[in-house]
Amino acid sequence: MRLDTATYQRVLGDELRRLRKQRGWTRRDLNRRLQSDISLQTLATYELGTRQCSVVRLVEICLALDEVPHELMARVHQRVFSDSPVGRIRIDLRQVVGTEQSKLGPLRRWAQGKLTETNGHQPPEVSLDIAALERMAELCGMETVELIARLRQLTGPVTDPDD
């Protein structure tokens, strides 16, 4: 198993941001709950996944968010090391096209375009990396973690026919 550190940091940051927003807090609100003095810019870089966070700092942030650190790490691990290749999620374009979820409209149009483009000459499953998922989430007006959850509900596990 290979660790893609950039993907891991982005996913960890996405989970931290999701937890903070879930509580209705700003970064300043979170900052006030921390024991040590961390700048708002540093918190932002942790959430964006552009800066590594020490284990002690991560535990401090988790405690401020009232989150059990190993549960957060389990979610990050699941997202990064699921049954898809590192940092990727496989989706069935046919199921995306067939969804009625209005928030997934931009993704549905993209999937329809991909299916039309391949004209049945390629498998309808694609593997998306975290960068693609982040851009698609932005187009759909939602957090990356929400898009991934919706895609997993929508497509279910995609199995490799060669297995």
Side-chain angles (χ1 to χ4, degrees):
M1 184 180 316
R2 211 174 131 260
L3 175 64
D4 178 344
T5 56
T7 297
Y8 204 90
Q9 281 177 214
R10 278 195 303 271
V11 171
L12 176 60
D14 192 49
E15 286 291 329
L16 289 172
R17 183 175 51 256
R18 184 186 63 77
L19 286 168
R20 176 180 58 77
K21 288 185 171 187
Q22 192 176 58
R23 285 151 179 77
W25 297 352
T26 64
R27 286 190 188 109
R28 188 174 305 283
D29 295 330
L30 174 57
N31 192 312
R32 289 183 186 125
R33 290 170 170 81
L34 296 172
Q35 290 178 354
S36 59
D37 188 28
I38 302 172
S39 73
L40 296 177
Q41 180 63 34
T42 297
L43 282 175
T45 58
Y46 291 156
E47 288 184 357
L48 292 170
T50 57
R51 183 180 197 155
Q52 287 189 3
C53 184
S54 74
V55 173
V56 173
R57 178 69 46 91
L58 179 61
V59 169
E60 180 183 357
I61 293 170
C62 285
L63 293 175
L65 289 165
D66 197 29
E67 178 71 15
V68 180
H70 71 269
E71 290 178 4
L72 169 70
M73 294 307 297
R75 283 194 308 278
V76 170
H77 190 85
Q78 173 62 34
R79 285 180 58 192
V80 174
F81 295 109
S82 66
D83 55 2
S84 297
V86 174
R88 301 177 80 83
I89 185 171
R90 290 184 62 189
I91 61 170
D92 185 323
L93 296 171
R94 296 168 300 188
Q95 290 176 322
V96 173
V97 168
T99 184
E100 300 283 325
Q101 297 181 45
S102 61
K103 282 189 93 172
L104 295 181
L107 183 60
R108 187 173 45 250
R109 288 187 293 277
W110 171 82
Q112 181 61 58
K114 291 297 279 182
L115 286 171
T116 302
E117 180 182 298
T118 62
N119 199 22
H121 297 294
Q122 292 181 358
E125 294 90 14
V126 295
S127 183
L128 301 175
D129 66 13
I130 191 72
L133 290 164
E134 287 170 344
R135 285 191 295 276
M136 288 183 181
E138 187 176 331
L139 288 172
C140 293
M142 64 181 73
E143 294 292 323
T144 308
V145 68
E146 180 186 353
L147 176 63
I148 291 170
R150 285 175 182 247
L151 288 173
R152 286 199 171 132
Q153 286 176 339
L154 183 66
T155 62
V158 177
T159 58
D160 189 337
D162 296 330
D163 285 348

